[in-house]
Amino acid sequence: MMFAPLEGWRHVEVTDRRTAIDYAHLLKRASDVDFLNAEKILLVQDNLNTHNWSSLYEAFPADEARRLVERFEWHYTPKHGSWLDMAESELGALTKQCLDRRIPDKKTIIKEIAAWERERNKNKTKADWQIHNRRRPR
């Protein structure tokens, strides 16, 4: 899942596995389709072993991989980072609103997720992200 919480935009890609190649193609889509006009793309992500720039070199020739690496500003969240929580919350909404039943096949799940994504993007559903001070008043 790609999620731009301040814009109220997301994209979900259904793949058979979570490989470095799948990840690289998702980044290429972000660079060349979804954020084509961005000067630099701020990428905040978890620390999954495939979520790094080397995945691009695994998937594409060196010159294309280098071009893509330079399109992103790479940031990794701590294990309990709030940016990661936003992506997890969005996945939770997807699960609750779309995937809370048995779905018979991949074709159907792709269709259902695409409809969910279109609706959320049309409404520009944003994340309600705030830093909460956990200290209690005295």
Side-chain angles (χ1 to χ4, degrees), residues 59-91:
F60 304 113
D63 58 332
E64 176 66 356
R66 187 175 321 102
R67 178 187 75 82
L68 291 167
V69 166
E70 292 173 358
R71 289 275 293 135
F72 295 94
E73 183 179 316
W74 301 78
H75 296 272
Y76 294 90
T77 61
K79 286 186 179 183
H80 302 290
S82 58
W83 278 92
L84 183 57
D85 291 345
M86 280 195 291
E88 293 295 330
S89 292
E90 193 65 13
L91 286 170

Side-chain angles (χ1 to χ4, degrees), residues 94-110:
L94 169 64
T95 300
K96 184 178 178 185
Q97 297 169 3
C98 180
L99 305 178
D100 62 345
R101 66 197 185 289
R102 186 176 183 320
I103 299 177
D105 54 46
K106 185 176 177 180
K107 182 178 176 182
T108 304
I109 200 167
I110 290 170

Side-chain angles (χ1 to χ4, degrees), residues 1-2 11 13-31 41-60 68-69 72-76:
M1 171 179 277
M2 292 188 293
H11 173 69
E13 193 76 28
V14 177
T15 60
D16 292 327
R17 295 167 309 282
R18 291 185 306 179
T19 68
I21 303 298
D22 295 327
Y23 177 70
H25 284 280
L26 194 61
L27 290 182
K28 183 173 174 62
R29 177 202 158 107
S31 170
I41 301 165
L42 176 63
L43 180 64
V44 180
Q45 59 191 349
D46 64 14
N47 290 287
L48 188 66
N49 64 338
T50 58
H51 290 178
N52 60 63
W53 55 266
S54 65
S55 295
L56 294 165
Y57 284 91
E58 206 174 310
F60 304 113
L68 291 167
V69 166
F72 295 94
E73 183 179 316
W74 301 78
H75 296 272
Y76 294 90

